[in-house]
Every structure is written in C-alpha cells, then in structure tokens.
Amino acid sequence: MATDPAYSGMNDKLKLGKGRIVGKYADKGKDNGKWFGEFKDSEENYDEFLSECKRVLKKSTGHIYIMFDSYSLLSLGSVVRSHFDVKNLITWDKVNIGMGHYFRRRHEYIIFATNGNTRKIRNRKFPDVWRFKRIHSSKYPTQKPVEVFQAMLHASSEDSFTVCDPFLGSASSAIAAIKNNCNYIGCDISDKSIEISSSRISEYLETGKDNIQTKSMAVDDKIFWE
Ligand SMILES: C[S@@+](CC[C@H](N)C(=O)[O-])C[C@H]1O[C@@H](n2cnc3c(N)ncnc32)[C@H](O)[C@@H]1O
C-alpha cells in the first residue's frame, strides 16, 4: 500500500493561505480553490482508516507507505504504531523551497511500516532521505512526483504484486505501479480525480506517455532504479 492522504490539519489549524489548500495549481477548481474533500485528521478517523488498511494489506508480505506533512506527522504519526510495525520515517526532500510563514517548507515525511511480517525491502542500499523535485503548477492539487511512489515500489514490490492507494488523486501511484509491473487498485471521492486518473492511466497504457507529469523529477537518486 502506498498512499498520500489529503490531511486537513495544515490548512485548518495553521490558517495558511486563508484556509485553502496551499499551492499553485493550473486549475484553481471550485469553492475558492478547495478542489477536493480533505481527510479530517482526527485520531478517531485516522484509527478507522488504518484499521481498513490493515484489513486489506497482506499479513505475510504487506508493506505500507503513508505520506505526511509536518503538521499531520506530529498529530497522527504515532497512531500508525498501534496498527503496524513502523520501520522507518523517510524524509522526502523536494529540493526547492515551498510556502511557509516561518521556515519555508522543503520536505514531507513518509512512514514505512510492515503488517506484522519481516519481509525485507529489495536491498539495504536505500537511504531514508529521498531527493525528488516538487511539481510546480501541477494539474491536480498536491500532485506528487511519480518517482516518490516508484522509490516506494522499487523497494517493496515484486512483479505482479497488487498496489493499493485509497487516496488516488491524479494517479501518480498508479503510473508508478504500472512502471513496476504491478497490479493496481485506487479510489478517491473526487470526480475530478477519477476523470484525470482514467485519462492519465489509459494514455500511459496505450502510448507510454504520461500526460500530467511530462518530465522526471529525479535529481541524483539513480540508486533507486539500478
Ligand atoms: C493529497 S491528494 C493525493 C494526490 C496524489 N498522491 C497525486 O499524486 O496526485 C488526496 C486525495 O484524497 C482524496 N480524498 C479525500 N478524502 C477522501 C476519502 N475519504 N476517501 C477517498 N479519497 C479521499 C482527495 O479527493 C484527493 O484526491
């Protein structure tokens, strides 16, 4: 499982950017830029979400990667421990700085955990800081580079494994799954997400072209693709 939930905390509680999803997007969407439903990051809600992840993740081999911004990591990160065996806290260094009223944000976090099993990752050369450039003026709000998901899958998947992302967004994780020869299940509550994802996935399968992320965001992390 590799997922990037839409947390509400950063926007709600820090009141950045007038409570809108922070960032610059090609299409501002409706409702003053609130393009999609955010996932209310209460512990109770998160607990329920993680219980469902645990239910569907294979006990014998399952690995899970969950992305966090700094706000949600501090409020919800510890809840992951009550469901899974947390093995690493990975830092995604976005190389270029972003928004921020104090120190400007340049990173996000990824918790890597297993479902009570001891299956290892592909090899022990991978660092826990990943450098992939952020996407500017993305077509979908909070669109992540495919390479971030590819790094997760390169470390954890084998051919024909099934990857699940319950917060599909623009299907960046789906493109990574296809590149890693995996099957894929994704879902999202937003119609726009399903529309963009369907077109992106079909075009990629037909032509090998990614119609949303046209260039690689990798900087120097060749280690992940060796
Ligand atoms: C941070 S975005 C994912 C972005 C994605 N990783 C990408 O690269 O495009 C989170 C997504 O979660 C969706 N979402 C919010 N609440 C949801 C829920 N309860 N169930 C499923 N999807 C939800 C939003 O519509 C949004 O598309």
Side-chain angles (χ1 to χ4, degrees):
M1 188 167 282
T3 195
D4 166 34
Y7 301 110
S8 59
M10 187 81 92
N11 285 305
D12 278 0
K13 303 189 184 74
L14 299 185
K15 298 279 180 238
L16 297 174
K18 300 180 186 151
R20 288 195 300 112
I21 292 168
V22 179
K24 193 172 156 220
Y25 308 115
D27 179 346
K28 291 277 183 236
K30 54 185 178 185
D31 192 17
N32 194 26
K34 269 208 162 166
W35 243 52
F36 50 63
E38 291 165 345
F39 181 65
K40 202 82 199 145
D41 34 1
S42 64
E43 281 195 24
E44 194 184 20
N45 209 4
Y46 208 67
D47 209 46
E48 195 180 338
F49 160 60
L50 291 177
S51 304
E52 288 304 297
C53 292
K54 195 169 175 83
R55 183 178 65 78
V56 298
L57 191 62
K58 275 214 159 121
K59 190 131 185 68
S60 50
T61 51
H63 285 178
I64 181 165
Y65 292 83
I66 312 174
M67 299 189 67
F68 289 89
D69 56 37
S70 26
Y71 192 94
S72 56
L73 180 78
L74 288 174
S75 49
L76 299 174
S78 61
V79 184
V80 182
R81 275 228 188 90
S82 47
H83 295 267
F84 297 104
D85 296 329
V86 173
K87 303 294 186 198
N88 285 106
L89 177 59
I90 296 161
T91 302
W92 166 33
D93 174 356
K94 304 178 182 185
V95 184
N96 300 309
I97 53 173
M99 315 281 264
H101 290 191
Y102 296 93
F103 295 102
R104 288 175 61 183
R105 288 187 287 278
R106 212 182 82 172
H107 71 287
E108 288 188 25
Y109 296 104
I110 301 162
I111 286 186
F112 164 62
T114 64
N115 193 11
N117 61 70
T118 53
R119 188 172 72 86
K120 301 285 184 216
I121 57 171
R122 185 181 299 252
N123 69 46
R124 293 177 58 195
K125 289 193 295 183
F126 304 140
D128 64 359
V129 177
W130 299 355
R131 275 161 48 89
F132 300 114
K133 281 192 244 169
R134 68 170 71 240
I135 296 181
H136 282 290
S137 296
S138 56
K139 197 147 185 216
Y140 193 81
T142 75
Q143 183 187 332
K144 303 300 183 299
V146 169
E147 288 79 7
V148 172
F149 290 104
Q150 267 189 281
M152 299 175 195
L153 302 187
H154 187 69
S156 281
S157 73
E158 291 171 25
D159 281 2
S160 79
F161 267 32
T162 298
V163 176
C164 173
D165 183 354
F167 296 94
L168 171 72
S170 65
S172 307
S173 57
I175 301 297
I178 298 167
K179 288 186 174 184
N180 279 270
N181 299 319
C182 292
N183 303 312
Y184 185 80
I185 300 169
C187 53
D188 202 290
I189 49 165
S190 149
D191 292 342
K192 193 80 184 177
S193 153
I194 303 303
E195 188 191 307
I196 286 182
S197 298
S198 307
S199 121
R200 184 180 191 185
I201 294 168
S202 342
E203 191 167 332
Y204 190 78
L205 288 173
E206 272 166 37
T207 67
K209 286 208 178 90
D210 183 344
N211 64 17
I212 291 197
Q213 186 190 320
T214 49
K215 58 176 192 207
S216 168
M217 295 294 136
V219 182
D220 54 7
D221 294 86
K222 287 205 176 57
I223 192 167
F224 283 109
W225 330 119
E226 278 164 4

